[in-house]
Amino acid sequence: MNGNPREMLRKAEHTRRLVQRRAQRRRAIIWMAFIALFSLLIIGLVHFAPIIIEKFTIVDEYLPRDIERQYRELQDTRGRQPGQPDIATPQAK
């Protein structure tokens, strides 16, 4: 039972260093995961930011109530174009 005190100190020191290494490894893995998630968030934000901005701004899209405005612009465009009339639009009967 009375072992060598030097041997007991060496085992205790070895155990303490082992526990420290495990704790340090665990902290390093947690930090790597945190950095990876943060970088994925930044990459996703940079990638999808133009799409999100475009969704929340009205560029050259018409609202459903703007049919009269579309018709007037179509008539203006037809008036400026020389040549034959557009056959894709239906003619009045």
Side-chain angles (χ1 to χ4, degrees):
M1 293 250 167
N2 288 338
N4 188 358
R6 184 175 274 176
E7 183 69 25
M8 289 173 55
L9 284 174
R10 190 181 68 74
K11 284 184 180 181
E13 184 69 25
H14 177 71
T15 306
R16 187 175 65 82
R17 286 183 183 164
L18 186 65
V19 170
Q20 283 178 346
R21 271 187 254 138
R22 285 181 185 160
Q24 186 177 10
R25 192 177 306 131
R26 189 176 308 122
R27 265 185 268 128
I29 290 172
I30 290 171
W31 274 108
M32 284 190 284
F34 177 74
I35 290 170
L37 288 174
F38 185 73
S39 62
L40 284 173
L41 179 70
I42 296 296
I43 289 170
L45 185 67
V46 168
H47 179 72
F48 291 111
I51 299 168
I52 293 170
I53 292 170
E54 187 176 317
K55 290 278 186 194
F56 287 110
T57 56
I58 297 175
V59 183
D60 282 331
E61 297 178 8
Y62 293 102
L63 297 174
R65 297 180 192 158
D66 280 346
I67 293 177
E68 294 88 15
R69 187 170 117 198
Q70 282 180 322
Y71 182 73
R72 276 185 266 122
E73 287 182 2
L74 177 65
Q75 294 302 324
D76 291 344
T77 307
R78 276 193 196 153
R80 280 186 255 138
Q81 290 177 350
Q84 22 180 324
D86 190 9
I87 37 180
T89 56
Q91 302 293 326
K93 292 184 181 181

